[in-house]
Amino acid sequence: MKLALITGASKGIGKAIAEELASRKCNLLLVARSAEGLKAVASELQLRYAIEVEYLPLDLSAKGSPEKLFQWCELLKKEIDVLVNNAGYGLSGSFTDYTPDENSNLIQLNIISLVRITQLFLPALRNQPQSHILNIASTAAYQAVPYLSLYAASKSFVLNFSRGLSQELRGSNVSVTCVSPGSTDTDFVIRAKISHKGLKAARKFNMQPGEVANIAVQAMLDKKPEKIVGFVNKIGAFLAWLMPKNMVEKTAMKIYE
């Protein structure tokens, strides 16, 4: 039976991916900040799908946390087949509204921890007959988004890092997939402090986490390097590429200012 490690697994897309993999009889290692949330998810999935689930409450925006995660897996003597780098968050508003520490924490979680976790677990993934890395980016990765600038830039990094790594590992036993959801019915908008105008725009196109998770996992199993979730989001990414950047950025700014 396969074993998957999922970050940000206590709610939202991470929780939905955990359930999707559990339904495919995959054992799970779950990581998130909330001990209560993880315990509830673990108990639910163990009972419903008769799988093994271990969990670790850990803030991956803290320096040294990827190493703690890796050491935990070593103590459990668990070697994973699937790595899902899902943990991440955004900050909306002017870049200068946030302290240097707040902005650094976002970069630490969305970029540095993702890269470090991938590097720590890649040797073990290479030891498996077949293994997968699934990185969760965003449709914001396809353009600059004023008033969501740092988040969009961090997800652009995730997308391009994933595509590059996918090519480096091409022909090996490790596949790398980057999935970019658009607006999804999760708590992302609360933590990111999205404006009323942004919330109103998001609700028009919201997808459910379960739907996103199903598409993401299937793309991973199909070894697709990149997947934009939802037809409308695909059109949006294409238009962002086709149209003048200044026009795209001004349109986005009107939504998030």
Side-chain angles (χ1 to χ4, degrees):
M1 188 179 285
K2 295 284 186 180
L3 176 63
L5 170 62
I6 306 170
T7 68
S10 63
K11 57 186 176 181
I13 293 173
K15 177 184 176 183
I17 290 174
E19 182 163 3
E20 180 66 31
L21 289 171
S23 72
R24 299 168 186 254
K25 296 301 179 183
C26 186
N27 292 327
L28 304 173
L29 301 176
L30 307 180
V31 185
R33 293 184 304 161
S34 170
E36 286 189 11
L38 285 172
K39 183 178 179 180
V41 173
S43 298
E44 177 187 345
L45 297 181
Q46 282 176 319
L47 184 63
R48 183 181 299 178
Y49 298 105
I51 59 167
E52 295 178 9
V53 184
E54 302 276 357
Y55 65 89
L56 175 67
L58 183 64
D59 182 359
L60 289 172
S61 68
K63 292 180 180 179
S65 54
E67 286 76 14
K68 290 179 181 177
L69 173 58
F70 185 71
Q71 289 164 9
W72 175 66
C73 291
E74 285 193 317
L75 286 172
L76 292 176
K77 296 182 179 179
K78 302 286 189 181
E79 285 204 353
I80 63 173
D81 307 274
V82 176
L83 171 61
V84 181
N85 286 307
N86 166 74
Y89 69 97
L91 296 172
S92 69
S94 174
F95 173 70
T96 55
D97 286 346
Y98 296 93
T99 67
D101 282 346
E102 287 173 321
N103 286 323
S104 293
N105 286 344
L106 185 150
I107 294 169
Q108 183 72 37
L109 179 60
N110 292 13
I111 297 178
I112 297 173
S113 286
L114 181 148
V115 171
R116 186 65 179 136
I117 290 168
T118 301
Q119 190 160 25
L120 285 167
F121 284 95
L122 189 52
L125 290 167
R126 279 179 154 158
N127 287 335
Q128 305 300 332
Q130 177 63 62
S131 58
H132 307 275
I133 298 171
L134 173 60
N135 293 332
I136 305 300
S138 166
T139 51
Y142 292 88
Q143 64 181 82
V145 183
Y147 296 107
L148 207 61
S149 299
L150 193 57
Y151 172 75
S154 73
K155 291 303 184 178
S156 181
F157 174 90
V158 172
L159 173 62
N160 286 289
F161 168 67
S162 300
R163 287 194 60 89
L165 187 60
S166 176
Q167 288 296 330
E168 289 182 30
L169 296 173
R170 189 176 180 180
S172 76
N173 61 315
V174 185
S175 71
V176 181
T177 299
C178 187
V179 170
S180 294
S183 297
T184 308
D185 189 14
T186 69
D187 289 345
F188 171 86
V189 294
I190 298 173
R191 188 174 185 189
K193 301 177 184 178
I194 299 296
S195 67
H196 176 73
K197 191 189 297 184
L199 288 173
K200 189 176 180 181
R203 289 192 189 106
K204 293 179 181 179
F205 306 106
N206 259 354
M207 295 179 69
Q208 293 304 308
E211 184 180 4
V212 172
N214 178 268
I215 294 169
V217 170
Q218 193 56 56
M220 177 191 76
L221 295 175
D222 290 341
K223 303 179 184 179
K224 293 184 177 181
E226 181 178 354
K227 179 73 175 180
I228 300 172
V229 180
F231 179 74
V232 172
N233 295 322
K234 291 176 184 176
I235 295 296
F238 174 72
L239 291 175
W241 170 80
L242 181 67
M243 296 169 63
K245 286 184 171 57
N246 188 49
M247 183 184 298
V248 172
E249 290 157 7
K250 284 183 177 179
T251 301
M253 184 166 65
K254 289 178 182 178
I255 296 173
Y256 292 103
E257 64 184 350

